[in-house]
């Protein structure tokens, strides 16, 4: 909601209301999920589940189909979250361009009222940050054999950015 704040009618009233209602719904869902875990599973399984507690609960209730249902629910949730983040992120670039804080061309909508240039630009930037691979070559001191291992820059970015994000989110709350 905060990403699209500039496009909300009466943001002084509607933004806090949306944030409070949204947070309330999320808290209620988490509490209900925890109640389901406690009612369905023994304490030992909750403390050390084989997969996740949610999957263990679904498996306890529906057996094998429960595991499949949970996998489908996780996929739907992941794609929905990605969809929201991608579309909201492009709106940030669009709003910045409209306020003359970013490239002017990004501030235009296409014939379907979508910030297409901002979406393409965000996709290129995401690919630039996530697609490069890291190669680490290590040599075994005993045998002299070289071992090559591959990683990705995304993992490194995630490790460094999460702590910085938390600091800036805390600073935003203070404002």
């Amino acid at each position: 909601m905060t990403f699209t704040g500039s496009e909300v009618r009466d943001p002084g009233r509607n933004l806090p209301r949306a944030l409070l209602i949204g947070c309330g719904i999320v808290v209620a869902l988490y509490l209900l999920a925890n109640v389901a875990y406690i009612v369905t599973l023994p304490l030992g399984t909750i403390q050390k589940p084989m997969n996740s507690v949610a999957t263990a609960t679904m498996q306890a209730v529906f057996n094998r189909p429960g595991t499949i249902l949970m996998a489908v629910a996780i996929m739907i949730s992941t794609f929905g979250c990605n969809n929201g983040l991608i579309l909201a992120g492009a709106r940030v670039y669009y709003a910045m361009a409209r306020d003359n804080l970013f490239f002017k061309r990004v501030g235009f909508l296409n014939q379907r009222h979508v910030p297409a240039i901002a979406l393409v630009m965000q996709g290129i930037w995401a690919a630039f940050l996530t697609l490069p691979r890291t190669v680490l070559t290590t040599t075994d001191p005993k045998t002299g054999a070289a071992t090559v291992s591959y990683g990705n820059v995304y993992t490194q970015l995630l490790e460094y950015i999460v702590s910085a994000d938390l600091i800036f989110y805390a600073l935003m709350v203070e404002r």
Side-chain angles (χ1 to χ4, degrees):
M1 189 67 206
T2 56
F3 287 112
T4 58
S6 68
E7 301 176 36
V8 174
R9 278 185 237 141
D10 193 12
R13 182 180 135 242
N14 292 331
L15 274 178
R17 182 180 289 179
L19 291 172
L20 288 172
I21 291 170
C23 285
I25 290 170
V26 169
V27 167
L29 289 173
Y30 271 106
L31 289 173
L32 287 173
N34 281 295
V35 167
Y37 302 153
I38 291 168
V39 169
T40 307
L41 299 174
L43 183 60
T45 306
I46 293 172
Q47 290 174 331
K48 294 182 183 178
M50 287 176 46
N51 293 317
S52 73
V53 179
T55 303
T57 301
M58 291 294 286
Q59 195 170 14
V61 174
F62 298 112
N63 293 325
R64 175 91 174 123
T67 307
I68 295 168
L69 281 171
M70 194 54 163
V72 170
I74 290 170
M75 285 184 352
I76 291 170
S77 175
T78 301
F79 287 124
C81 181
N82 282 338
N83 181 46
L85 290 173
I86 289 166
L87 294 177
R91 287 287 183 180
V92 171
Y93 300 141
Y94 166 75
M96 287 173 61
R98 299 291 290 185
D99 291 340
N100 297 319
L101 299 171
F102 206 56
F103 304 115
K104 284 244 188 250
R105 189 84 176 113
V106 178
F108 293 106
L109 301 175
N110 66 9
Q111 64 271 18
R112 296 181 185 210
H113 306 289
V114 174
I117 295 171
L119 284 167
V120 170
M121 197 172 101
Q122 179 175 328
I124 292 169
W125 183 243
F128 175 74
L129 291 175
T130 58
L131 292 179
R133 305 292 288 174
T134 57
V135 180
L136 179 63
T137 306
T138 55
T139 305
D140 187 358
K142 295 179 184 175
T143 63
T147 305
V148 177
S149 62
Y150 299 94
N152 62 21
V153 178
Y154 179 75
T155 304
Q156 294 170 339
L157 285 171
L158 193 60
E159 289 171 356
Y160 293 120
I161 287 176
V162 167
S163 58
D165 268 353
L166 291 175
I167 291 168
F168 286 113
Y169 285 145
L171 290 172
M172 282 191 327
V173 170
E174 193 63 32
R175 185 171 180 238

